[in-house]
């Protein structure tokens, strides 16, 4: 067959433009995951694909300016990473792929997970359901856990649901949660200062752009305060957090490229169901454990880890 | 001339074309048919193998999970071992990615351990599960497979329950995330875009290489249910139907027995019959090329056949119109060329023959037909000018001029015609040369141009016959009241003979004294009388009874000439100045020659 080759070469004459919106900082492991995914699909940056990167670390509102550009420019696809999606809800002109830790239905960008029905689709990381699981795992690692600080960015979509799920889990497990909310990255330092004054056994940090950006300082804070810490994604753990439980972000972004490819080929995001992760990654940082003096009983915990950082 | 409705060219062309094109078309068409049949067979096999393989893999996948679950129900429950059991369950989660949660139930049907990837774990006595269909089912059959359920109406899950060998070992219930079956299914590729997928009893998609179709929920289940029933109606062989994406597909269904699901292997029809289509196109191309070649060949052959034939027809028509110099030029190197050569030869022969017949006709003006033929075929130099002995015979009607003033012209023409016919017939019979008719006179020559034996004899005999023939006419003319008679004179001697004339009108004539003498004798002769000069008389006196009429002076002759007359029947050689006699008497007189020479 000759046509597809001709079609491809024709496509090659006009590279696809993808806008990448993120509230992370660069280097961005999620962007790397997505780029790898696109490369695996046969896209070559600079040849048939160009990325235009819009970063506003920890502050979705700062993206508004760039979002208004979407309506003017000729853009094939927007990929919004994490809370950046929050700023995108008004976009109707361009297909938007999201990777969200919150609930996209609650955010109002999709009608249902099975049939998004609009210009949005992507992945949700099931943060809500995992919230309780993280408390439980923290308890398994540190059985004497009785008071838990929950550090949460209230700007994050679905944050209240996540806090509620955490509270319920704590109640079942007989743990007293202490809610330390903050609003945006500027308030993070103040929130940590407040947490420092709380007499608690452990720290639970909700996965979110703000905390992701400052993951290293939060992990350092936890070690300094000798608090076993639990996070949402393994990136936190790699930055010094004790443990994390959640979907593999990089893998999620890698597989998001499948949808990007299908949308660029003309499929409607309205028909592409929102994907939920199948595999959850339990990561443990043994170095941090040693620093905290926690003895991880091999038979009880370590065998459950998918990723052990020595 | 009307042309035939269908030309030879069209007939030849059609016949040759059909003879070449039909076997080719049949060959190509049967070839395409066999390719199609083989492809159908092949496709059936491939789809069968792939669907079976997919069903087997799914069974293996599910059975594998069942086997893994078997590990946690090997030991009987005791009072204080929940924690150890919890570890077992957690290890199971770790081992089998598809398991989302594990619940362990003791022999009493009470939940003892629950571990999950998402929800909170539970240890210790929990809810009474003894009425749960999973527990009931596992107790009854050892292994129980639950219906497929969809979380958020999107993600397919299924519960599997396995009972221990002994009731004391309890039961394990696991929730399986069926999204992982996709990996089993996605590995199956049929052609480029063919694939296998799995449908449950209600038509909902369980596994598909495109996972988004599964996650889309029950929206398309009617479509899949229709597809399933359409394919299953084929009872294990491939069926052609409309696929879930709206395009025609070849599909085959196989049942995965343990879970009761249907595995459908399908391939888009355009791809499945790609080879058939290529074969069909190849056949069509062959037929087209064959038809072109056949028609070109048929055209060439038909043209080669009919062209020369037209050429022949045209040539023959020209020859038929008298153009004998026309030659048909055909160089086909075959029978047609031979035929053309024959025609050309024929034209040549015709030209010669026509030329000859023209000349013969001309000779026939003054020669009897057989003599003319003879002159024409034997020796044309006979007509050349020469001097020889001839016998000149003149005859002349008496009283015709006087008669002509009274009679009707039509009547005169009738008289002349009868007279000419009679004279001509006698001349021809005696193979003499009729020189000319001149009004009521006639001149005949014997011994020229064709020589004969004893010309004097022949001349006298001819004269007697002619006189007799004319006298019989004279009788009838007189009966009608015309006073007409006939006298003759003949003389023998040398004369110059030859053909003279111009522009195709040629007369044969004789010039010499003998002609004049014969003419004078004729003038002298009375009705019914035949006068001879001395030379002729000398030649025939032994054969015919002659009467000497003595010497007479004649116009143009200084000396008197001895004249003889042919004696009439019964008269001796005596002076016989024969006056005009009654017709019957004259007739009698000439009727009996003494010597019957060549009187036929």
């Amino acid at each position: 067959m000759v046509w597809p080759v001709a079609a491809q070469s024709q496509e090659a004459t006009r590279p696809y433009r993808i806008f990448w919106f993120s509230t992370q900082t660069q280097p961005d492991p999620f962007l790397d995951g997505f780029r790898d995914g696109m490369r695996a699909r046969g896209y070559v940056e600079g040849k048939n694909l160009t990325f235009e990167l819009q970063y506003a670390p920890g502050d979705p509102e700062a993206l508004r300016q760039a979002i208004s550009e979407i309506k003017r420019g000729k853009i094939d696809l927007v990929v919004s990473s994490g809370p950046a999606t929050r700023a995108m809800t008004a976009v109707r002109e361009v297909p938007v792929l999201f990777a969200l830790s919150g609930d996209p239905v609650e955010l109002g960008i999709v009608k249902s997970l099975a049939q998004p029905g609009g210009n949005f689709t992507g992945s949700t990381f099931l943060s809500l359901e995992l919230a309780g699981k993280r408390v439980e795992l923290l308890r398994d690692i540190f059985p004497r856990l009785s008071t838990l600080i929950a550090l949460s960015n209230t700007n994050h979509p679905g944050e209240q649901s996540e806090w509620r799920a955490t509270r319920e889990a704590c109640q079942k497990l007989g743990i007293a949660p202490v809610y330390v909310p903050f609003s945006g990255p500027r308030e993070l330092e103040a929130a940590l200062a407040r947490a420092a004054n709380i007499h608690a056994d452990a720290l639970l940090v909700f996965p979110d752009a703000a905390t992701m950006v400052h993951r290293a300082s939060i992990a350092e804070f936890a070690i300094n305060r000798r608090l076993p810490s639990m996070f949402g994604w393994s990136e936190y753990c790699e930055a010094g957090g004790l443990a994390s439980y959640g979907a593999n972000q990089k893998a999620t972004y890698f597989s998001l490229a499948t949808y990007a490819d299908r949308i660029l080929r003309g499929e409607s995001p309205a028909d592409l169901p929102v994907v939920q992760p199948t595999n959850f990654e339990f990561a443990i940082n043994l170095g941090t454990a040693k620093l905290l003096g926690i003895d991880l009983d091999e038979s009880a915990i370590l065998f459950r880890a998918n990723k052990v950082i020595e | 001339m009307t042309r035939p409705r269908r030309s030879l060219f069209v007939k030849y062309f059609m016949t040759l074309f059909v003879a070449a094109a039909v076997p080719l078309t049949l060959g190509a068409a049967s070839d395409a048919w066999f390719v199609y049949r083989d492809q159908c067979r092949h496709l059936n096999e491939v789809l069968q193998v792939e669907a079976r393989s997919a069903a087997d893999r799914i069974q293996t996948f599910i059975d594998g999970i069942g086997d893994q679950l078997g590990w946690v129900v090997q030991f009987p429950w005791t009072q204080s071992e929940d924690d150890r059991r919890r570890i077992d369950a957690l290890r199971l989660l770790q081992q089998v990615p598809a398991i989302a949660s594990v619940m362990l139930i003791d022999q009493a049907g009470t939940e003892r351990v629950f571990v999950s990837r998402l929800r909170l774990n539970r240890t210790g006595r929990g809810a009474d599960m003894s009425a749960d269909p999973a527990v009931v089912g596992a107790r009854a059959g050892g292994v129980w497979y639950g219906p497929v359920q969809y979380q958020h109406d999107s993600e397919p899950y299924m519960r599997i329950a396995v009972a221990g060998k002994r009731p004391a070992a309890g039961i394990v219930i696991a929730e399986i995330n069926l999204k992982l079956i996709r990996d089993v299914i996605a590995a199956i590729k049929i052609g480029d875009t063919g694939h296998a997928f799995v449908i449950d009893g209600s038509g909902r998609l369980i596994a598909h290489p495109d996972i988004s179709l599964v996650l889309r929920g029950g929206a398309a289940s009617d479509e899949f249910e229709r597809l399933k029933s359409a394919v299953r109606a084929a009872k294990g062989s491939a069926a052609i139907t409309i696929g879930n994406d709206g395009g025609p597909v070849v599909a085959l269904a196989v049942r995965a027995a343990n879970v009761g699901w249907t595995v459908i292997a399908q391939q888009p029809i355009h791809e499945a019959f790609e080879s058939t289509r290529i074969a069909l196109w190849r056949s069509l191309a062959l037929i087209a090329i064959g038809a072109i070649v056949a028609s070109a060949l048929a055209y060439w052959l038909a043209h080669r056949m009919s062209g020369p034939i037209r050429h022949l027809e045209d040539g023959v028509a020209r020859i038929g119109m008298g153009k004998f110099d026309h030659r048909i030029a055909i160089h086909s190197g075959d029978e047609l060329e031979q035929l053309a050569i024959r025609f050309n030869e024929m034209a040549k022969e015709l030209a010669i023959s026509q030329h000859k017949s023209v000349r013969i006709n001309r000779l026939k003006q003054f020669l009897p037909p057989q003599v003319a033929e003879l002159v024409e075929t034997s020796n044309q130099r006979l007509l050349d000018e020469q001097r020889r002995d001839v016998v000149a015979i003149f005859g002349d009607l008496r009283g015709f001029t006087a008669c002509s003033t009274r009679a009707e012209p039509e009547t005169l023409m009738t008289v002349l015609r009868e007279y000419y016919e009679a004279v001509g017939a006698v001349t021809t019979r005696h193979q003499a040369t009729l020189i000319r008719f001149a009004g009521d006179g006639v001149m005949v020559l014997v011994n020229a141009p064709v020589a004969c034996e004893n010309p004097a004899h022949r001349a006298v005999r001819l004269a007697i016959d002619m006189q007799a023939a004319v006298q019989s006419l004279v009788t009838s003319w007189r009966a009608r009241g015309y006073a007409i008679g006939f006298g003759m004179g003949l003389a023998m001697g040398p004369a110059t003979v030859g053909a003279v004339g111009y522009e195709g009108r040629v007369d044969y004539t004789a010039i010499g004294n003998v002609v004049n003498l014969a003419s004078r004798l004729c003038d002298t002769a009375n009705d019914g009388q035949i006068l001879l000069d001395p030379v002729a008389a000398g030649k025939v006196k032994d054969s015919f009874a002659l009467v000497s009429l003595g010497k007479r002076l004649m116009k143009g002759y200084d000396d008197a000439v001895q004249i003889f007359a042919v004696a009439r029947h019964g008269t001796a050689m005596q002076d016989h100045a024969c006056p005009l006699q009654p017709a019957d008497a004259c007739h009698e007189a000439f009727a009996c020659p003494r010597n019957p020479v060549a009187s036929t």
Side-chain angles (χ1 to χ4, degrees), chain A residues 113-115 129-130 132-133 136 140 169 172 245 259 262 271-273 276 278 280 299 303-306, chain B residues 86-87 90-91 94 97 116-121 152-155 177 179-180 210 212 215-217 219:
Chain A
L113 296 184
Q115 285 159 327
E129 289 174 280
L130 291 173
K133 204 66 191 166
E136 185 189 76
D140 285 351
K172 280 182 187 163
Y245 186 63
Y259 270 12
R262 288 175 70 166
D271 299 329
L272 297 173
Q276 301 172 60
T278 311
F280 304 104
S299 62
F303 79 91
R304 293 164 68 181
N306 305 87
Chain B
R86 187 179 68 97
I87 300 293
L90 286 170
R91 289 174 70 190
Q94 201 62 25
S116 164
R117 291 184 194 277
L118 286 173
R119 279 166 286 163
L120 294 182
N121 301 340
H152 299 113
D153 198 34
S154 175
E155 306 232 323
N177 185 341
K179 272 204 299 189
L180 277 88
D210 178 4
S212 67
L215 299 180
R216 211 168 281 172

Side-chain angles (χ1 to χ4, degrees), chain A residues 88-108:
Chain A
M88 317 276 311
T89 49
V91 175
R92 288 285 174 271
E93 294 80 6
V94 183
V96 180
L97 267 183
F98 59 78
L100 204 58
S101 53
D103 184 351
V105 180
E106 190 176 313
L107 192 60

Side-chain angles (χ1 to χ4, degrees), chain A residues 290-305:
Chain A
K290 198 173 278 176
L291 284 174
L292 295 175
I294 296 170
D295 178 27
L296 293 169
D297 181 353
E298 297 235 347
S299 62
I301 288 297
L302 267 190
F303 79 91
R304 293 164 68 181

